[in-house]
Amino acid sequence: MEFDSQQNTEPVEYTWDSQDSGFQESQQSQQQPEYWGRLYPMRSSLRKIDLVNNSVKVGVARFKKIDDHLEVGADVVLERSDLPTNTFLKCSRVHFEIRRVEVRVLGVHTTQVRIFDRSTNGTYINGHCMKRWSDALKWRVLKTNDVIGFPDGKSVPNYDAFIFIDPLVSISSQIPYSIRKKYQVTVRLGAGTFGEVSLVFDKENGKPCAMKTILKDTFVNNRMLNSLQKKLVNELDILQSVKHPNVIQLVDVLDCKKEHFLVLEYMEGKDLEHRLERARQNNEQLEEKLSKLYFYQILQGVQYLHRQGIIHRDLKPANILLASDQKETILKITDFGLSKVLSPATMMKTLCGTKMFLAPEVIEGAGSYEYTEQVDVWSMGVILYLCLSGVEPFYTDTGNVDELIREAVFDLDSTDWNNTSEDAKAVINRMLTKDPNERIRVREIYQMLWLQDEEMIEKANELYSVLDSSNSSSSTMTVDSTFSCSVEEDSLAGFPSPPSKKRRTL
């Protein structure tokens, strides 16, 4: 397998395209792509695969010795480092094959893309195993945005690996051309306060990203647009300068006629809320050791943001993203800073966020005065409480949550806390202190006995080093008739700390 490496050193730039329209696309040259299909990777360990031949086989072995001769196996070979061990061991020499075939539909000749399951343990399409279908149907039509997965065997039976894209299938014209030109927009990941979040892929390097759409009608009136536009550019410039392994990276910003598009790094492991919900469904709770590893990373990210003058103010499990499905993984804080950009009032005087995670001074003040970074300390305390016990600290059947929060009334003596150390409870008590002036500060949390854990810190540093090395390269695979591949190396910066800025409350 031969590779041609080329460093990508172009800086990320803003694209301000306020007059974006479909007319621009009609003026572009309609060149056919060199490939008829592409598999975009949903995992950072995988690479995009350009489908050039009419048949491409994907598996874990190029050749297999049968008697005295070698039988050709996969055209695209996945290595052990590409997949989790449990998944790799369940993959076949040729796991699946993708073919482009000519068919006749209503008397008209056309092409059709089909996927054939060649495996022992099954190929998954959109979460459904092909092996469970009728034996007479060994293939199915492959359509744009279909997700191809391998067997996993854990609580989740399949491991989503690739999304298939047919480049000749037009994307909705509602998506501006400046977006379609640079990114392959695929499935919807969810919806936020200001718009949808979609999974997109950089067409140049194949990297998955999460694209957040912010509708401009979120602004109160058109009169405010000009001043807020300048404010948006300024604030997003600050957010884009943020670089830390526990803070989500804003990689691109595009401004179109009706929306702002923010492109963020994609996290494969979903969010902490999903992780806690999965444990709850299994009648489990996170081990204290794992909760400590998670909390330490959240603390690292919050401390970094505070040093840059950024107060999050909406910390909650849904805003803590996980890098992978593994238990021990990197956590990153997201959704910081946008409220100030989009609100007509200053962020720190706006009552928002999920009530369960709001500090007493926020509930009490109802937006009448400015809050300090101590509101983030309180929210982290609630998150830690959830991780260690699996239950919310201020839950009540009467619905009077506000009163419980204002008085900082919570329980650390129920059976939910039987397996939790007193040192961990001491951290929660210091963080969930009613008076923000008496509440422990971020820098002091590190001095608590519970966090004096060399083994945990060593594990966190190990995760950071793995993240740093994985960010140093990714590749693009193109299959041709000789099975050779060309690779483009994409180098990302590590995690340098920007110089301290004057305190800002975003």
Side-chain angles (χ1 to χ4, degrees), residues 41 49 103 118 168 191 197 270 276 288 290 311 319 401 477:
I49 302 173
V103 295
R118 306 298 191 196
L168 299 183
V197 181
K270 299 185 179 179
L276 291 171
E288 182 174 335
L290 185 61
I311 301 175
N319 284 337
V401 175
M477 181 180 292

Side-chain angles (χ1 to χ4, degrees), residues 436-490:
N437 295 318
E438 296 181 6
R439 192 178 303 149
I440 192 172
R441 298 187 178 277
V442 168
R443 66 177 181 276
E444 298 171 334
I445 299 175
Y446 288 100
Q447 307 306 318
M448 296 289 288
L449 188 58
W450 190 59
L451 287 171
Q452 303 304 304
D453 186 338
E454 293 183 3
E455 182 181 349
M456 178 274 295
I457 295 174
E458 183 178 350
K459 169 54 68 175
N461 289 333
E462 179 184 322
L463 291 173
Y464 292 147
S465 63
V466 171
L467 177 66
D468 200 5
S469 61
S470 66
N471 279 345
S472 63
S473 65
S474 63
S475 52
T476 302
M477 181 180 292
T478 306
V479 182
D480 60 21
S481 58
T482 61
F483 307 138
S484 66
C485 305
S486 64
V487 175
E488 296 176 0
E489 297 293 338
D490 176 35

